[in-house]
Amino acid sequence: MSIGRGIRGVKRRGALGKLTHDLHSQVALKASMRLPIHLQREIVRLHFHDPRRSSRSIAASINTTGTTVGDLRKRLLASGRTEQELQDLDDDAWVSALGTQDRSIAVRKHAPDWQWVHEEMKRPSATLEVLWREWRETCPDGIGYTQFSTLYREWKKTLNVVMRQTHAPADKLFVDFAGQTVEIRDPEGGPSVFAQVFVAVLGYSNLTYVEVVASQTTPDWIQCHINCFEAMGGAPRWVVCDNLKAGVISRGPERIVLNPSYLDALRHFRTAIAPTRPRKPRDKGKAEVGVQIAQRWILFRLRDRIFFSVAEANAEVRRLTAEMNDHPFRNRAGTRRQRFEEGERAALLALPAAPYELCDWRYEVKVGADYHVEHRGSYYSVPFQLAHQRVDVRVTRNLIELFGRGRRVAVHALATSPGQTITLDEHRPVSHIRVLEGEPKALMTWAETVGPQAQAMLRYHLEQRTDEFNGVRTARALRDLARAYGNQRFEEVCAYALRLNIRTLRALKSIFSDATDRRAAQPPQGSTASRPAHENLRGAEYYGN
């Protein structure tokens, strides 16, 4: 090859590289615009939480690319907004301030599971071309053979590369459940239950916290974190957890969905979640080693112990955990507790003054046409302007909060029983308020002209029902029935229904149409009352004599 051809080849490759870089930049720009608003808010929160944190590290916690996070951080710095200013913005003002409107859709070709390709290549006579052809039959829109072979070789270079991790004081807390369980026997001889073992390890000092808990459900998972933070006297900057359902609901190639209740709890303690990668990640070694040590030091020593409650098991676990934290290291001086007290306790984030209250989140809940949101069989009002829209719902032990476009729009006390409707007057339109204020009085005035039974029936629907608006509608329908069948007939049906504790509109309509009350008053067939007098009929006196 001549020198001139070689130079031209280098220039072409350089131009191609620049073009590829520009295309990646455009894709990252479009990707940042396609991010959901709640993920954009999380990136901004993590940026202010630790400005020195790299974009790649933040991207790993929400399963996106570092370029996308970097683009959003550039927009954030260019806007000049503070964290408090951005928190006060709703979703529309947010995208306007940062310019993250979704203007296009980036198209990417699918790539195969490289782990599958790698395993197939271990089989005799396997070739990349044959594997590519087999994969393209199942994914016709996937990448071509050249990119297939190039990306596989690049992926293969990443195997067996391990990075030594160094942990700053109070930077990371590694959490996980142990594989072993603790048997809790029933004192009355019933079946035993097997409690879970929660293990948390600080990255810098290796201080370990162990707790026995009833299950791996979200409330127990969150309560373990709360107890751990309180026992350590503070919270770390990051919590590294595995991809269990209590922490990560789902994880895909392009998006990770965190458990909203778990995320809300960590926000309360001003810390953040850093979920590990799927399959067999190497960035949770502290948690795995901590679980292994806890199983050997604590659970093995409890193998022959019998416990009848979780509290009893935790008392023994706390004693053995304290011994483990005070035990000297094998390969260096000091103990876990000594290293924690000297270099890590002071660096922990201070605990909030107010205790955390467990809550449950529901996102994108549809508001009905009656401007109410359903939750566990009860209905709660929001401003009528939000009818047919979607809101986020946060439920605590005693309250339910509703958020529209990032702002709280309503708060209610939880209903004490299913089927209740809780409505605030300020949420109603003016026309509904006028109906509720004026029409009930007119309906009661009409019922007084019918009779006491009609008054009792309408008083129940207008004064005793919790859903006032539906009560007015039912009373209006009852007045229409009285006009159709007559006031006297309406009074008779109300007397019969109230005696049987019947008040629903459907049941009253059935009584009117079937004349149930009149049929019940008639004597049954075959009784002597229905037989006419006749000289050939013998009465009781005849047979008595």
Side-chain angles (χ1 to χ4, degrees), residues 418-468:
Q420 295 185 8
T421 300
I422 301 177
T423 310
L424 300 181
D425 289 338
E426 56 265 27
H427 293 165
R428 305 181 191 273
V430 177
S431 58
H432 289 189
I433 294 177
R434 290 177 178 173
V435 167
L436 292 176
E437 291 179 348
E439 192 165 1
K441 184 177 180 180
L443 289 170
M444 286 303 303
T445 302
W446 166 80
E448 293 174 358
T449 64
V450 178
Q453 304 299 329
Q455 289 182 25
M457 181 65 71
L458 264 70
R459 185 176 296 108
Y460 165 77
H461 289 286
L462 295 175
E463 298 178 3
Q464 300 179 20
R465 288 184 57 167
T466 57
D467 49 344
E468 300 92 343

Side-chain angles (χ1 to χ4, degrees), residues 52-349:
R52 297 175 300 177
R53 202 78 180 182
S54 66
S55 297
R56 182 176 298 178
S57 176
I58 295 178
S61 66
I62 62 172
N63 199 29
T64 186
T65 63
T67 309
T68 300
V69 175
D71 174 74
L72 187 59
R73 296 177 87 173
K74 290 179 182 179
R75 292 173 177 271
L76 174 63
L77 295 176
S79 69
R81 301 290 187 109
T82 64
E83 183 179 11
Q84 186 61 42
E85 291 175 347
L86 291 173
Q87 287 179 352
D88 295 337
L89 299 179
D90 58 17
D91 291 353
D92 294 332
W94 176 279
V95 297
S96 177
L98 298 183
T100 56
Q101 297 87 349
D102 187 4
R103 301 187 180 93
S104 62
I105 299 177
V107 179
R108 291 183 179 179
K109 290 188 176 181
H110 295 286
D113 181 0
W114 299 118
Q115 187 65 38
W116 169 79
V117 176
H118 187 65
E119 294 297 329
E120 292 295 317
M121 284 298 295
K122 295 179 182 179
R123 302 174 68 172
S125 304
T127 63
L128 285 176
E129 184 176 1
V130 173
L131 291 177
W132 172 75
R133 292 182 181 277
E134 293 179 353
W135 173 73
R136 279 293 293 266
E137 291 179 359
T138 62
C139 186
D141 298 329
I143 58 178
Y145 174 71
T146 302
Q147 193 175 10
F148 180 92
S149 58
T150 302
L151 292 178
Y152 170 70
R153 292 188 177 95
E154 292 178 357
W155 176 86
K156 193 175 178 181
K157 294 177 183 178
T158 63
L159 299 178
N160 300 322
V161 177
V162 180
M163 181 185 68
R164 176 172 291 277
Q165 298 184 14
T166 57
H167 303 288
D171 185 46
K172 290 182 179 179
L173 176 73
F174 297 84
V175 295
D176 202 356
F177 279 112
Q180 298 183 17
T181 57
V182 177
E183 182 182 6
I184 307 296
R185 295 189 181 181
D186 187 353
E188 299 180 357
S192 299
V193 296
F194 294 88
Q196 306 297 316
V197 180
F198 172 83
V199 180
V201 182
L202 283 170
Y204 174 78
S205 64
N206 287 334
L207 187 78
T208 304
Y209 175 84
V210 183
E211 181 179 352
V212 178
V213 68
S215 66
Q216 293 190 15
T217 58
T218 300
D220 287 338
W221 171 254
I222 294 176
Q223 190 62 50
C224 286
H225 284 70
I226 297 173
N227 297 340
C228 177
F229 296 157
E230 292 178 350
M232 294 179 176
R237 296 184 183 277
W238 296 88
V239 176
V240 182
C241 73
D242 206 350
N243 292 280
L244 73 167
K245 292 298 182 181
V248 179
I249 294 179
S250 63
R251 185 162 196 159
E254 297 183 357
R255 185 183 178 188
I256 181 171
V257 180
L258 303 176
N259 189 319
S261 300
Y262 182 44
L263 189 60
D264 182 77
L266 295 185
R267 285 174 179 169
H268 177 79
F269 291 96
R270 297 182 293 117
T271 185
I273 181 176
T276 60
R277 293 166 293 173
R279 297 186 180 91
K280 296 182 179 180
R282 295 180 177 177
D283 50 1
K284 62 168 186 173
K286 284 280 184 180
E288 293 180 347
V289 173
V291 167
Q292 187 181 60
I293 294 175
Q295 290 181 162
R296 293 175 178 176
W297 188 278
I298 300 174
L299 299 183
F300 180 76
R301 297 167 68 179
L302 299 179
R303 65 190 185 281
D304 295 327
R305 290 289 304 272
I306 298 176
F307 299 104
F308 295 99
S309 67
V310 172
E312 182 183 354
N314 270 321
E316 191 64 18
V317 165
R318 281 193 293 269
R319 184 184 67 82
L320 295 176
T321 303
E323 289 184 7
M324 182 178 67
N325 287 326
D326 293 330
H327 187 74
F329 288 116
R330 177 177 299 180
N331 299 322
R332 58 181 173 180
T335 64
R336 291 175 173 83
R337 189 175 305 280
Q338 182 180 358
R339 187 172 172 84
F340 169 75
E341 296 291 346
E342 293 177 355
E344 195 160 26
R345 179 186 286 275
L348 291 173
L349 300 175

Side-chain angles (χ1 to χ4, degrees), residues 13 184 362 404 454:
R13 286 194 296 271
I184 307 296
R362 294 171 57 200

Side-chain angles (χ1 to χ4, degrees), residues 36-39 41 91 255 257 260 360-368 373-374 386 388-394 401-406:
I37 300 298
H38 71 275
L39 288 183
R41 292 182 183 272
D91 291 353
R255 185 183 178 188
V257 180
D360 184 24
W361 278 90
R362 294 171 57 200
Y363 289 112
E364 300 293 322
V365 180
K366 184 69 175 294
V367 180
V373 174
E374 186 274 336
L386 297 178
H388 304 289
Q389 299 185 23
R390 294 189 179 273
V391 296
D392 299 333
V393 180
R394 180 178 185 267
E401 299 174 276
L402 302 108
F403 296 82
R405 306 195 67 80

